Amino acid sequence: EPEVTQTPSHQVTQMGQEVILRCVPISNHLYFYWYRQILGQKVEFLVSFYNNEISEKSEIFDDQFSVERPDGSNFTLKIRSTKLEDSAMYFCASSRVSVYEQYFGPGTRLTVT
Amino acid sequence: RKEVEQDPGPFNVPEGATVAFNCTYSNSASQSFFWYRQDCRKEPKLLMSVYSSGNEDGRFTAQLNRASQYISLLIRDSKLSDSATYLCVVTHMNTGFQKLVFGTGTRLLVSP
């Protein structure tokens, strides 16, 4: 069964450093998403991406965040200057069309020290 | 008011029990509805979509009441492996693109 993959599984970084989280969506999916989950809290939408453009972003997704699809398979989330409050689990998801179910990757645990 | 509200639990039930979870949502424009399950420190996994007519998948039955903005999940004959957090999810499509809005989840513990 095809699945979304994410790397790394755990990233530790110092405050102020840049991090790039990587995702490989399911191959015939066209819509891509990033969500995050702070420990003990609910899953929150960050951004959706389609046709090489951001289609929607939340208020969390400020200028420190960016997304890119650098090639035909990878989808990345960059945090330019990490803050302590960016520590969370970051999940990538993809869907075949916008109204279909989204499938999640295993997540990257980001720890900012 | 939270967009999606769920009783956090935990619900402690013995194996074989029937358990029901409820969820309410505040945005009447919500378009699609799902139940996801999440194991500790893992990704949300789609359990089932929820349709207006109600739908069943094995031991799981989901119901949607759009008028009351209420969603339910019934699990029959609980198994130890059902222990997880169950996430009620609705979708918004403000810009033509879907985003998932999650509840905080209801934790289920099934004991032998």
Side-chain angles (χ1 to χ4, degrees):
Chain A
E1 184 178 311
E3 55 185 24
V4 178
T5 59
Q6 290 185 244
T7 54
S9 56
H10 190 192
Q11 173 95 48
V12 181
T13 190
Q14 288 192 323
M15 201 166 54
Q17 296 297 304
E18 174 182 287
V19 294
I20 297 176
L21 311 183
R22 300 178 196 282
C23 168
V24 178
I26 294 172
S27 62
N28 64 346
H29 285 189
L30 300 176
Y31 296 80
F32 314 117
Y33 312 84
W34 284 100
Y35 292 82
R36 79 169 186 191
Q37 186 175 31
I38 294 169
L39 189 64
Q41 297 186 24
K42 66 178 183 176
V43 178
E44 297 175 290
F45 169 78
L46 290 178
V47 66
S48 58
F49 191 86
Y50 169 72
N51 201 26
N52 283 317
E53 287 185 342
I54 289 175
S55 48
E56 189 173 352
K57 58 184 181 179
S58 72
E59 57 275 8
I60 303 168
F61 194 89
D62 62 22
D63 292 343
Q64 296 298 315
F65 291 88
S66 61
V67 289
E68 197 178 35
R69 189 155 162 83
D71 53 45
S73 58
N74 289 285
F75 178 50
T76 62
L77 174 70
K78 183 194 290 186
I79 309 175
R80 221 178 318 279
S81 177
T82 50
K83 308 185 195 65
L84 294 176
E85 56 265 36
D86 293 328
S87 294
M89 195 77 161
Y90 288 81
F91 294 109
C92 173
S94 69
S95 64
R96 192 158 61 86
V97 294
S98 66
V99 296
Y100 279 17
E101 297 92 346
Q102 295 180 20
Y103 293 89
F104 283 73
T108 293
R109 179 166 299 284
L110 176 65
T111 302
V112 183
T113 61
Chain B
R1 185 182 170 188
K2 291 179 186 173
E3 288 193 80
V4 180
E5 293 211 53
Q6 295 182 253
D7 181 340
F11 283 53
N12 290 284
V13 302
E15 264 186 299
T18 294
V19 62
F21 304 136
N22 303 318
C23 162
T24 56
Y25 60 95
S26 61
N27 189 336
S28 58
S30 298
Q31 298 192 303
S32 301
F33 308 89
F34 304 98
W35 284 100
Y36 279 73
R37 76 169 267 169
Q38 186 175 31
D39 294 290
C40 190
R41 295 181 177 244
K42 301 281 191 184
E43 75 272 26
K45 288 193 174 171
L46 179 65
L47 182 65
M48 58 197 301
S49 303
V50 188
Y51 304 117
S52 296
S53 53
N55 48 302
E56 191 174 302
D57 183 1
R59 298 181 293 109
F60 299 86
T61 301
Q63 299 274 355
L64 167 65
N65 184 324
R66 282 188 185 266
S68 303
Q69 294 179 202
Y70 172 93
I71 307 162
S72 65
L73 177 69
L74 184 78
I75 305 176
R76 288 182 299 279
D77 188 23
S78 300
K79 313 286 185 199
L80 295 176
S81 56
D82 293 334
S83 296
T85 297
Y86 289 83
L87 308 175
C88 178
V89 182
V90 308
T91 66
H92 295 170
M93 245 178 124
N94 299 329
T95 60
F97 295 91
Q98 177 179 246
K99 69 175 187 184
L100 301 184
V101 179
F102 286 80
T104 50
T106 298
R107 193 162 168 228
L108 173 66
L109 299 170
V110 182
S111 53

